[in-house]
């Protein structure tokens, strides 16, 4: 199991372990109403964001996967977060028993293909690490951009659900060895 997030470089991005210096940029991102519009619908308080940072760091040694900080390779600017988690959302074994992919980007990263580039790197790592494993993700209804990114990488709808009062679509993606 990975004790910490591996570093993954793409043409423009670096997916890396979170560190304490990420907290100010995380607070900016997670308190932006536009960012959280489809992720719970309310800005998060600084203490909730600090707890999120601690949770991210604890995921890797506990599960061998977790969340990465996403930064611009040239400038080192924090752009967002993405990864795989086991959040225990109580949505049923067809969802909760599998690693859940997720991604969130700060407003300056929007519309630049950052999600597509980062998710490709994240899923490439997952395919190598898990092989035949299935992945899931949850996207709130109306989040057209994330739905498009998920579809580009083979996530297909499983079913709809309500999570914390919001209508969501639960999606699934078979690992690369599922069809062999």
């Amino acid at each position: 199991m990975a004790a910490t997030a591996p570093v993954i470089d793409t043409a423009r991005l670096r997916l890396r372990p979170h560190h304490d210096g990420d907290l100010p940029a995380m607070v900016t991102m997670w308190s932006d109403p536009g960012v959280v519009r489809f992720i719970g619908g309310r800005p998060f308080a600084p203490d909730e964001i600090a707890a999120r940072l601690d949770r991210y760091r604890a995921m890797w040694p506990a599960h061998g996967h977790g969340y990465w900080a996403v930064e611009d390779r040239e400038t080192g600017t924090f752009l967002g977060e993405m990864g795989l988690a086991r959040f225990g959302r109580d949505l049923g074994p067809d969802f909760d028993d599998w690693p859940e992919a997720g991604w969130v980007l700060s407003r300056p990263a929007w519309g630049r293909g950052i999600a597509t580039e980062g998710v490709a790197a994240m899923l490439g790592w997952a395919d190598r690490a898990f092989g035949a494993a299935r992945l899931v993700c949850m996207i709130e209804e109306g989040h057209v951009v994330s739905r498009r990114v998920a579809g580009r990488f083979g996530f297909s709808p499983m079913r709809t659900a309500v999570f914390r009062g919001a209508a969501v679509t639960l999606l699934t993606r078979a690992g690369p060895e599922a069809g062999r």
Side-chain angles (χ1 to χ4, degrees):
M1 268 208 259
T4 187
V7 175
I8 302 172
D9 286 332
T10 71
R12 298 179 295 165
L13 308 175
R14 174 164 288 134
L15 280 62
R16 59 157 177 80
H18 283 82
H19 55 67
D20 288 342
D22 293 328
L23 189 56
M26 289 174 67
V27 168
T28 298
M29 180 179 73
W30 285 107
S31 60
D32 180 334
V35 170
V36 299
R37 177 178 173 205
F38 295 110
I39 308 172
R42 70 164 180 82
F44 291 86
D47 65 317
E48 293 172 302
I49 299 162
R52 180 182 296 270
L53 177 60
D54 288 340
R55 183 174 62 192
Y56 287 158
R57 288 189 273 207
M59 289 176 177
W60 286 94
H63 302 291
H65 57 78
Y67 266 65
W68 286 271
V70 179
E71 70 180 21
D72 183 293
R73 275 185 62 188
E74 277 188 33
T75 66
T77 302
F78 179 93
L79 299 174
E81 302 164 346
M82 58 184 57
L84 303 164
R86 297 204 185 240
F87 290 122
R89 297 187 190 276
D90 197 27
L91 292 169
D94 64 337
F95 189 83
D96 292 335
D97 290 353
W98 301 96
E100 178 185 342
W103 50 91
V104 59
L105 296 175
S106 62
R107 196 179 292 260
W110 293 1
R112 298 173 36 205
I114 300 296
T116 299
E117 187 173 333
V119 170
M122 172 184 74
L123 294 176
W125 177 86
D127 289 345
R128 290 185 302 278
F130 302 131
R134 167 178 184 243
L135 300 175
V136 296
C137 72
M138 175 173 65
I139 299 177
E140 199 166 306
E141 293 299 317
H143 199 329
V144 175
V145 174
S146 275
R147 189 67 182 267
R148 191 176 309 129
V149 170
R152 184 171 287 146
F153 293 103
F155 283 94
S156 59
M158 258 184 351
R159 61 185 167 90
T160 59
V162 175
F163 182 73
R164 294 188 182 154
V168 297
T169 300
L170 305 181
L171 300 103
T172 186
R173 174 185 181 265
E177 308 205 3
R180 293 183 186 176

